[in-house]
Amino acid sequence: MIDRPIDLRSDTVTRPDAEMRRAMAEAEVGDDVYGEDPTVSRLEEEGAAAVGMEAAVFVPSGTMGNQIALQLHGSRGEEVICDTRSHVLLYEMGGMAALSGLLPHPIASPGGLLDPGAVDAAVVRDAGFHARSGLLVVENTHNMGGGTVYDRPLLDRLLAVAHGHGLPVHCDGARIFNAAVALGTTAAALAAGFDSLMFCLSKGLGAPVGSLLCGSRSFVAEARRIRKMLGGGMRQAGVIAAAGLVALRKGPACLAEDHANAARLAHALAALPGIALDPASVRTNIVIVRLTAGGTDAFLERLATAGVLGSRVSRDVARFVTHRDVSAAQLDTAIERIRSAASEG
């Protein structure tokens, strides 16, 4: 009898630990819409410093943070240059169009990593009947690319192209700390040069809710206005910001273990029949596999019965994400269960 499945659907399933719960219970609070919550203010200050930016605003979700940035950087009728599998395009409910009147200009990119030459070719500035380019979005790490990372030289080339055309650049850095750990650098080093950056507290860092949108002081002042317009103004939000502070201060130290677990999982999955995966492509905590025999739904159903949860990407693609709530020992158990379930397929 399996009591609780080992949940590898996402790093968003992490639960607040005892230290976070204690911090939440003891948090000093005030009305954040009035700018009076000291715990939120502390989180915003430390979050901005962690990525080397002037200021930050606490938002309920990464999606809201991204959509605020797109609205502030772009104008109605302009294009958002992004990868074809980017989060802002596939998983934000058409927000760029519905909320801001923007349309995507997707570029197919190996591993989700945009090519500077392709970005340069995609830019349109006041050219007849074509929509004008408004901004560039870079996703680091890239979720659907399999947790791939942009290194600093590639970022520098992309920023040079975009800024050379007068385009602002937003970083969807939901997992920017994962990228920093994978590259042996800092989040601030990877954030340098961007006009704005969003990162999530509620993924690998382990907080129960919340993200930070970072940028210049003037950008963040406008972001607060748009946050309120979108219904994201929170009152005594210090009770969740307190967990975010613990996540920000202690979460990055846990990510290397998550990456090691993902690498082990990738090697185990690659050895199974009916699964296509290059383990060397796994750099962070995301493992995406293509099923060459049978469909995703049947595969994930067998795993769930065996006590392991994964997520569906498409009819022949599945995703597994390692995180702080799955230890190395639990991952060993998950691997054995997956092997057993795969042999039954």
Side-chain angles (χ1 to χ4, degrees), residues 158-167:
L158 286 167
L159 288 164
V161 167
H163 288 157
H165 286 288
L167 296 182

Side-chain angles (χ1 to χ4, degrees), residues 146-223:
T148 48
V149 296
Y150 284 87
D151 61 21
R152 191 64 234 183
L154 179 54
L155 292 176
D156 285 336
R157 291 167 59 205
L158 286 167
L159 288 164
V161 167
H163 288 157
H165 286 288
L167 296 182
V169 189
H170 172 65
C171 180
D172 176 356
R175 297 180 175 89
I176 192 71
F177 289 91
N178 290 87
V181 169
L183 293 168
T185 185
T186 64
L190 294 178
F194 282 94
D195 297 280
S196 59
L197 179 142
M198 181 282 300
F199 71 87
C200 291
L201 298 159
S202 58
K203 291 187 170 68
L205 300 185
V209 63
S211 297
L212 289 168
L213 176 60
C214 310
S216 67
R217 288 187 177 86
S218 59
F219 172 85
V220 168
E222 280 297 286

Side-chain angles (χ1 to χ4, degrees), residues 104 107 129 158 186 322 333 344:
I107 300 174
F129 299 100
L158 286 167
T186 64
T322 55
T333 300
E344 299 172 1

Side-chain angles (χ1 to χ4, degrees), residues 154-342:
L154 179 54
L155 292 176
D156 285 336
R157 291 167 59 205
L158 286 167
L159 288 164
V161 167
H163 288 157
H165 286 288
L167 296 182
V169 189
H170 172 65
C171 180
D172 176 356
R175 297 180 175 89
I176 192 71
F177 289 91
N178 290 87
V181 169
L183 293 168
T185 185
T186 64
L190 294 178
F194 282 94
D195 297 280
S196 59
L197 179 142
M198 181 282 300
F199 71 87
C200 291
L201 298 159
S202 58
K203 291 187 170 68
L205 300 185
V209 63
S211 297
L212 289 168
L213 176 60
C214 310
S216 67
R217 288 187 177 86
S218 59
F219 172 85
V220 168
E222 280 297 286
R224 290 188 190 282
R225 183 178 66 85
I226 303 302
R227 181 186 70 169
K228 180 65 175 172
M229 183 189 300
L230 296 177
M234 297 176 285
R235 300 300 180 171
Q236 288 71 36
V239 293
I240 51 176
L245 274 168
V246 176
L248 180 64
R249 293 166 179 171
K250 299 194 172 182
C254 302
L255 299 179
E257 181 178 355
D258 295 342
H259 296 179
N261 284 341
R264 289 173 48 233
L265 177 61
H267 280 90
L269 290 170
L272 297 177
I275 290 180
L277 166 66
D278 177 10
S281 68
V282 176
R283 299 285 305 278
T284 53
N285 67 325
I286 297 175
V287 181
I288 292 181
V289 302
R290 184 170 298 278
L291 304 171
T292 59
T296 305
D297 292 338
F299 177 66
L300 292 177
E301 285 174 11
R302 291 198 304 274
L303 293 191
T305 300
V308 178
L309 302 181
S311 61
R312 184 187 194 277
V313 175
S314 68
R315 63 183 181 180
D316 63 349
V317 177
R319 186 188 73 158
F320 301 91
V321 184
T322 55
H323 51 80
R324 57 184 281 162
D325 283 6
V326 175
S327 66
Q330 288 172 311
L331 187 72
D332 287 337
T333 300
I335 288 171
E336 289 307 312
R337 291 176 180 177
I338 293 170
R339 284 173 178 157
S340 176

